[in-house]
Amino acid sequence: MARTWSAVLARLGVPTGDGRIIDPAGGSSRDLPLPLAWQEKSEDGHGGSQVVARMETLRIADGMVTATGSMLESAPCEVIEQLEAGVIGPSVDLDDIEYVMDEQERLVITKWRIAGATLVAIPAFADVSLTLDPLPAEPMVSEEVGSHWAEWDLTASAVPAELPPADWFQRPDVDRLTPLTVTDTGRVFGHIAGWDTCHVGLPGCVTPPSSPTGYTYFHVAEQRTTDGAVLPVGTLVAGPRHADAQLAFRAAQEHYDDPSAAVARVVAGEDEHGIWVAGWLLPGASEEALDTFRSSPVSGDWRRVGGSLELIGVCSVNTPGFPVPRARVHFAAGAQRALIGSFGITPQQGEFFPEPGNRQVNEAEQARARWAWAAATTED
């Protein structure tokens, strides 16, 4: 199966590293598909390159030239390795050009046509990239799946033993940054990081990155739902510790590939509050993994893929880099006496939204249950 990709090939109206500027108003392209080449060894221009992929869509807008396409089956494996390591990037090949010199003696290309692009070690623009889409997950079938489900029915009755509904994987309907929440029906939802949250372990204020690919590098598994749909999903893992920061993204992904530590399958997305996940607890998750998951916060692992940071894993940790705080309240004589930030998993009784007629009573009871849980699972 051909590997697909998406790319930012060029920036318009801004100078390249050597001072050239491409005028946004003067662009066009040859008819698609166009070639994407790879320069194995650095030479003058794009000399010595070979075609490794085809460009199937091309867009000139918003100050950028963007494209999507697919790799050729004949592409050398070194191309994939170098793209995944983020050490090469695209450089556009132009023809039918006209240019002038501006007052700063910079070359301004006023008319140009895209004939293709080439992957090189040092692209003309520093902020361009080509990102490979992840390969689709291969379904895993186990002969022992029946016995695993039977064992789960005896040990973890709070988790559903059937397929989850598709709407559990949709964007949560919340009006604020919401800690990761688990209902007694097995539904999982909440935010793993907020846009306005600074990383606690880095200098300055480093906020979580947005995913330009829609979290495709996290959605490397599949989940079947009650309506027969198969969704691309990611896995929440109860440990191990984060992968070494020096690892490339593929090796880091393998670090989290431990079936015994998997506790939930979720879809990831973004809203105005931050990065959310939504899905369900896995019926085959071990009691040990579930205990770790329920009593620990979760933390994302972002790795550079091409020219951008992508979420590739989410695991339970003691102290997350982007904590999503929840209030822990001490009640005395019916009044709130203390408010302390803690970062555990919120257990939720019943459905997320109570029936309107019982809303006031249910919310009060659920609030006290949450504070009690937080007090029992969080150290002062």
Side-chain angles (χ1 to χ4, degrees):
M1 181 177 179
R3 191 81 177 268
T4 57
W5 52 266
S6 59
V8 176
L9 300 180
R11 301 285 179 172
L12 307 178
V14 296
T16 63
D18 57 5
R20 291 171 293 161
I21 298 176
I22 302 176
D23 185 348
S28 63
S29 73
R30 293 187 183 184
D31 293 338
L32 296 169
L34 295 176
L36 175 70
W38 168 61
Q39 189 179 52
E40 182 178 7
K41 297 180 180 180
S42 295
E43 297 185 22
D44 291 339
H46 295 166
S49 58
Q50 59 177 304
V51 176
V52 295
R54 50 184 275 147
M55 198 182 304
E56 296 160 353
T57 71
L58 184 73
R59 184 171 182 263
I60 303 172
D62 302 323
M64 296 184 293
V65 178
T66 57
T68 63
S70 57
M71 304 299 295
L72 300 179
E73 296 293 340
S74 59
C77 59
E78 290 87 353
V79 182
I80 305 299
E81 180 183 12
Q82 291 175 18
L83 283 170
E84 291 180 340
V87 296
I88 56 175
S91 180
V92 288
D93 297 311
L94 304 178
D95 67 3
D96 191 21
I97 65 172
E98 296 178 3
Y99 63 90
V100 297
M101 303 299 292
D102 67 7
E103 64 278 4
Q104 300 180 42
E105 296 187 352
R106 297 179 301 187
L107 188 150
V108 179
I109 303 174
T110 57
K111 180 184 177 184
W112 47 278
R113 182 175 66 178
I114 295 177
T118 302
L119 296 168
V120 297
I122 305 177
F125 293 96
D127 51 353
V128 294
S129 64
L130 187 145
T131 302
L132 292 169
D133 298 328
L135 292 170
E138 296 183 2
M140 299 179 62
V141 179
S142 172
E143 295 179 356
E144 300 179 358
V145 66
S147 61
H148 288 171
W149 280 62
E151 180 181 354
W152 179 253
D153 289 342
L154 295 175
T155 59
S157 58
V159 179
E162 65 274 354
L163 295 175
D167 59 5
W168 282 11
F169 296 87
Q170 296 177 0
R171 170 179 168 173
D173 186 12
V174 295
D175 60 0
R176 67 195 67 187
L177 191 65
T178 302
L180 199 61
T181 302
V182 180
T183 73
D184 61 356
T185 58
R187 182 187 174 196
V188 177
F189 64 91
H191 291 94
I192 63 169
W195 297 131
D196 297 329
T197 304
C198 301
H199 194 287
V200 298
L202 297 175
C205 183
V206 178
T207 55
S210 177
S211 171
T213 67
Y215 296 94
T216 54
Y217 287 88
F218 177 63
H219 297 148
V220 294
E222 292 182 347
Q223 176 64 60
R224 189 174 297 277
T225 61
T226 52
D227 61 0
V230 178
L231 304 176
V233 294
T235 304
L236 303 186
V237 179
R241 299 175 64 87
H242 275 313
D244 191 297
Q246 302 301 317
L247 294 177
F249 92 92
R250 185 67 66 191
Q253 279 183 324
E254 294 175 354
H255 175 80
Y256 301 107
D257 190 17
D258 180 3
S260 66
V263 291
R265 288 276 168 79
V266 296
V267 167
E270 299 174 359
D271 59 20
E272 63 270 31
H273 311 296
I275 302 170
W276 57 262
V277 295
W280 78 321
L281 289 179
L282 288 170
S286 69
E287 279 294 333
E288 181 180 1
L290 284 170
D291 288 343
T292 300
F293 179 66
R294 289 189 176 111
S295 61
S296 304
V298 294
S299 180
D301 188 337
W302 286 265
R303 301 284 162 153
R304 187 163 296 280
V305 183
S308 60
L309 288 171
E310 289 284 352
L311 181 72
I312 58 100
V314 179
C315 68
S316 298
V317 295
N318 291 324
T319 305
F322 297 108
V324 180
R326 59 173 47 83
R328 194 182 82 198
V329 178
H330 171 62
F331 288 98
Q336 178 181 327
R337 298 299 186 188
L339 180 65
I340 305 170
S342 63
F343 314 113
I345 303 296
T346 299
Q348 179 80 25
Q349 182 177 5
E351 292 301 318
F352 179 52
F353 296 106
E355 292 297 325
N358 297 325
R359 181 178 297 273
Q360 183 174 1
V361 174
N362 286 348
E363 286 186 346
E365 292 176 350
Q366 290 171 7
R368 291 178 184 274
R370 291 182 190 179
W371 308 145
W373 174 272
T377 59
T378 308
E379 296 180 358
D380 291 328

